[in-house]
């Protein structure tokens, strides 16, 4: 019976891995094809499609997406840390209602949020904010619940005895926050910031309503290109984006220990 269970487990694992990796393999093969026809013959593969990514058509949207994602990650990290600290650690009055309010954006479809933000700015006569400012604000609203929840999880597991011990040893509040609390919540904060960066960089539903000519993010540039042609350049863009996101995750892991949050510890 144990052998049968183990065989079923490994079979299920193999099927899941195949389901995840096979589309990626097809995309990578398409990005290396000599023509629009996908070629699985390595002898015919070429990197010329990646050379087209160096044009301003792709570099400018990529740089804009990176700038927006960095700003969104930083703002979401600061706001999420402060919100989680006030609700979980300080336990301000109505903390449960405040946490529910902070997580409320998760229950609203992104398309609805995009339309609502456009209507809100139009009613206030702030159409000039459409573009990068509106994208940053909308992405922060979208990413903030993830950061807040992950930091709140770290704070919920915080041993308050450590804070009391530091206070007895003469540490002031700032020192306790700097040397006791922050190192413990850092994995949760960094994991939330990583999610915020990825969500902002890859976002389409919100961005499609808020971009304006000259402020086109990479996902929107991909959609605009698909309206006219489907060629290996699209596969090259997707592969390059995937490599960039993996590199960003690796960087955040090295800086603060992204995976430590998964194990409930700190790094």
């Amino acid at each position: 019976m144990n052998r049968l269970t183990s065989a079923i487990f490994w079979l299920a694992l193999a099927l899941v891995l195949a389901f995840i990796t096979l589309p990626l393999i097809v995309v990578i093969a398409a990005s290396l094809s000599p023509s629009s026809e996908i070629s699985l013959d390595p002898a015919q593969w070429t990197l010329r499609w990646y050379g087209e990514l160096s044009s301003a058509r792709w570099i400018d949207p990529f740089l804009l997406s990176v700038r927006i994602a960095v700003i969104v990650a930083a703002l979401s990290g600061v706001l999420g840390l402060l919100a989680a600290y006030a609700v979980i650690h300080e336990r301000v009055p109505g903390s449960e209602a405040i946490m529910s309010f902070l997580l409320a954006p998760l229950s609203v479809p992104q398309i609805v949020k995009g339309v609502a933000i456009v209507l809100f700015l139009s009613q206030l006569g702030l159409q000039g904010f459409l573009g990068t400012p509106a994208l940053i604000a909308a992405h922060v609203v979208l990413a903030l619940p993830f950061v807040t929840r992950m930091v709140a999880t770290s704070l919920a597991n915080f041993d308050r005895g450590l804070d009391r011990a530091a206070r007895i040893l003469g540490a002031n509040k700032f020192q306790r926050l700097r040397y006791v609390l922050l190192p413990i919540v850092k994995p949760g904060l960094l994991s939330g910031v990583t999610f915020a960066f990825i969500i902002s960089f890859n976002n389409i539903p919100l961005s499609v309503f808020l971009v304006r000519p000259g402020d086109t993010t990479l996902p929107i540039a991909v959609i605009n290109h698909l309206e006219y042609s489907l060629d290996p350049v699209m596969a090259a863009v997707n592969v390059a984006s995937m490599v960039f996101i993996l590199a960003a995750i690796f960087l955040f892991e090295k800086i603060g220990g992204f995976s430590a949050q998964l194990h409930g510890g700190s790094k």
Side-chain angles (χ1 to χ4, degrees), residues 1-264:
M1 184 64 181
N2 290 335
R3 289 184 178 180
L4 178 60
T5 303
S6 178
I8 294 175
F9 169 79
W10 286 109
L11 177 61
L13 178 61
L15 291 175
V16 171
L17 292 177
F19 180 78
I20 294 174
T21 57
L22 285 178
L24 298 179
I25 294 175
V26 173
V27 172
I28 293 174
S31 69
L32 299 172
S33 296
S35 64
S36 58
E37 297 293 333
I38 298 178
S39 173
L40 299 179
D41 183 6
Q44 299 180 0
W45 286 353
T46 177
L47 296 175
R48 71 185 183 93
W49 305 111
Y50 288 93
E52 297 190 19
L53 302 185
S54 60
S55 65
R57 180 179 185 180
W58 300 111
I59 290 295
D60 291 346
F62 170 77
L63 294 178
L64 177 61
S65 293
V66 172
R67 287 197 297 268
I68 292 175
V70 169
I71 296 173
V72 168
L75 291 176
S76 300
V78 173
L79 296 176
L81 175 62
L82 295 176
Y85 177 82
V87 172
I88 303 299
H89 192 75
E90 294 295 338
R91 298 191 182 280
V92 296
S95 57
E96 293 184 0
I98 294 175
M99 179 59 73
S100 298
F101 175 79
L102 291 172
L103 300 180
L106 294 176
S107 62
V108 181
Q110 293 186 41
I111 293 179
V112 175
K113 287 198 285 280
V115 174
I117 292 174
V118 171
L119 293 176
F120 175 75
L121 294 177
S122 298
Q123 290 295 323
L124 295 180
L126 299 176
Q127 294 89 341
F129 282 90
L130 291 175
T132 300
L135 280 172
I136 293 174
H139 288 185
V140 168
V141 172
L142 178 64
L144 185 60
F146 294 94
V147 181
T148 303
R149 189 58 183 173
M150 291 181 180
V151 176
T153 301
S154 297
L155 285 173
N157 298 324
F158 175 68
D159 185 2
R160 292 178 180 270
L162 297 175
D163 185 74
R164 289 194 295 270
R167 187 168 61 250
I168 292 173
L169 293 173
N172 57 39
K173 189 169 185 179
F174 175 78
Q175 291 173 325
R176 297 198 305 272
L177 291 175
R178 171 65 179 83
Y179 297 105
V180 179
L181 185 64
L182 282 181
I184 292 178
V185 303
K186 184 172 67 173
L189 177 61
L190 263 294
S191 59
V193 167
T194 304
F195 269 95
F197 182 89
I198 296 173
I199 290 171
S200 175
F201 183 82
N202 289 325
N203 183 266
I204 293 177
L206 277 177
S207 302
V208 74
F209 289 99
L210 301 174
V211 296
R212 62 182 181 183
D215 285 338
T216 303
T217 59
L218 183 60
I220 302 303
V222 171
I223 292 178
N224 293 338
H225 185 82
L226 286 174
E227 292 181 359
Y228 302 100
S229 64
L230 178 61
D231 51 35
V233 175
M234 289 294 91
V237 171
N238 287 324
V239 173
S241 297
M242 179 179 63
V243 172
F244 173 76
I245 290 297
L246 291 176
I249 294 174
F250 179 79
L251 177 62
F252 279 114
E253 166 63 24
K254 287 299 182 181
I255 292 175
F258 177 83
S259 61
Q261 176 72 2
L262 301 178
H263 302 289

